[in-house]
Amino acid sequence: MGKRWVYVVVLAVAIVLLWLFLSRVFSGELIVSRYIFKLGRFELRWYSTLIALGILIDYFIARWYFKRRGWNPEHLDEALLLGVIFGIIFARVYYVIFEWDYFKNHPSEIFKVWHGGIAIHGGFLGAIFAVWLYTRLKKDVSFTFVEGLDVMGWLFPLAQGIGRWGNFFNYEAFGYPTDLPWKMFVPQSHRPPQFLSNEFFHPTFLYESVWDFTVFAILTAYVLKHYRKPGEVVSLYLVMYSMGRIMVESLRTDSLWLGSIRMAQLFSAIAMILGALWYLSLQRKKV
């Protein structure tokens, strides 16, 4: 049996095991824990672990790509560190702004990120700012600002897709009640007050995770076969991710709101339009 068949068999077994696991959790037969292990007051949570795993996998892929392009991998290390720092800060600030009615009465909670409350769109803005800052201040940087955004846009959905499973273990980021065959059981302690009598909900974390992995796969093929101009990849990411997020967000019960508008949908609509215009403008330019 060749290596390819070994990979196929391993993947098939992994998918079956995942399906069996999810079927038990979604039915309510098995209740998952938010942490991997607990030692006193310390909890190693799935959410933070999966986010870290996504960043780590992205890092190794990015290092391979940097070497392929002839860029200095040390510049990746420095830019990634800035990206993580500003990504967390912006993700938290974004969330606090749109939940200000709560935080203005509980100011001490603003800095307690471990209590939950970060927004992916804020994290994306923070990462953009970090790449801009690094390419502006670093002397002899081996990639441009837009090239850095392309790497970020390519790998961001992979980390997002992995990180969404942290929502699964936290029983959060689920949707409205549903009777669909793939409905997900949510313990009463995690249900919104208006849905305490409902047991099964849309697993919107799963919808977005699948979409994120799909976007990553499409962008990987594009990077390896069709990438010609800086800006193409990140503009396509803005279009594709935003399309999926707009649809998934309409099912969620925990959206951040700006008046009567879901902020994630508004942000995604603007990003999708800008991404489409950017990509089309690049295609009209001569190489």
Side-chain angles (χ1 to χ4, degrees), residues 237-278:
Y237 164 77
L238 291 174
V239 173
M240 289 190 291
Y241 171 71
S242 297
M243 287 174 57
R245 182 59 186 268
I246 288 173
M247 291 185 288
V248 172
E249 192 68 23
S250 64
L251 297 172
R252 287 180 57 168
T253 62
D254 61 344
S255 299
L256 298 176
W257 294 84
L258 181 63
S260 60
I261 301 173
R262 295 176 191 263
M263 193 57 208
Q265 289 184 321
L266 176 61
F267 190 105
S268 295
I270 295 172
M272 184 170 60
I273 293 170
L274 292 177
L277 292 175
W278 189 3

Side-chain angles (χ1 to χ4, degrees), residues 199-210:
E199 294 185 330
F200 296 96
F201 299 79
H202 279 283
T204 47
F205 85 90
L206 179 61
Y207 300 164
E208 187 172 334
S209 180
V210 171

Side-chain angles (χ1 to χ4, degrees), residues 66 69 71 131-132 134-136 141-151 227 230-231:
F66 265 55
R69 292 295 300 267
W71 298 342
V131 175
W132 173 82
Y134 183 78
T135 53
R136 185 176 179 83
V141 65
S142 54
F143 58 92
T144 67
F145 169 56
V146 179
E147 287 173 333
L149 291 186
D150 277 333
V151 176
Y227 181 41

Side-chain angles (χ1 to χ4, degrees), residues 206-227:
L206 179 61
Y207 300 164
E208 187 172 334
S209 180
V210 171
W211 182 247
D212 289 336
F213 289 141
T214 301
V215 171
F216 170 70
I218 294 172
L219 291 180
T220 297
Y222 193 93
V223 167
L224 297 180
K225 297 181 179 180
H226 306 290
Y227 181 41

Side-chain angles (χ1 to χ4, degrees), residues 82-206:
L82 278 181
V84 171
I85 293 172
F86 283 107
I88 294 173
I89 293 173
F90 277 57
R92 183 59 171 179
V93 169
Y94 185 102
Y95 182 85
V96 169
I97 288 174
F98 292 102
E99 289 288 341
W100 185 243
D101 285 342
Y102 170 79
F103 286 104
K104 69 181 181 182
N105 297 318
H106 304 84
S108 64
E109 288 292 319
I110 292 176
F111 303 100
K112 297 179 181 179
V113 181
W114 55 92
H115 286 178
I118 57 175
I120 193 64
H121 285 126
F124 185 72
L125 291 174
I128 291 176
F129 177 74
V131 175
W132 173 82
L133 186 65
Y134 183 78
T135 53
R136 185 176 179 83
L137 299 181
K138 178 71 176 181
K139 294 181 179 179
D140 302 320
V141 65
S142 54
F143 58 92
T144 67
F145 169 56
V146 179
E147 287 173 333
L149 291 186
D150 277 333
V151 176
M152 188 182 79
W154 167 35
L155 299 178
F156 211 72
L158 176 59
Q160 287 177 273
I162 295 172
R164 277 298 171 199
W165 286 86
N167 299 135
F168 163 72
F169 286 101
N170 283 349
Y171 285 106
E172 62 187 8
F174 52 84
Y176 290 112
T178 182
D179 288 324
L180 290 171
W182 53 85
K183 60 190 177 184
M184 175 182 177
F185 176 81
V186 175
Q188 192 175 64
S189 59
H190 295 272
R191 300 172 197 166
Q194 66 271 34
F195 298 124
L196 288 179
S197 61
N198 298 98
E199 294 185 330
F200 296 96
F201 299 79
H202 279 283
T204 47
F205 85 90
L206 179 61

Side-chain angles (χ1 to χ4, degrees), residues 5-80:
W5 281 107
V6 172
Y7 295 147
V8 171
V9 171
V10 171
L11 179 61
V13 171
I15 291 174
V16 171
L17 292 176
L18 178 61
W19 180 81
L20 292 173
F21 172 65
L22 286 181
S23 64
R24 294 187 64 198
V25 176
F26 280 22
S27 68
E29 181 183 351
L30 175 65
I31 303 298
V32 294
S33 172
R34 67 182 181 181
Y35 56 83
I36 301 172
F37 70 84
K38 187 174 183 179
L39 186 61
R41 298 182 63 182
F42 171 77
E43 295 178 349
L44 179 61
R45 298 189 180 184
W46 282 105
Y47 188 80
S48 55
T49 301
L50 289 168
I51 289 177
L53 177 62
I55 294 172
L56 186 63
I57 294 174
D58 275 2
Y59 169 73
F60 285 115
I61 296 175
R63 278 192 72 91
W64 167 81
Y65 185 70
F66 265 55
K67 292 178 181 178
R68 173 177 171 152
R69 292 295 300 267
W71 298 342
N72 187 344
E74 291 183 4
H75 294 169
L76 168 66
D77 298 347
E78 296 166 347
L80 180 61

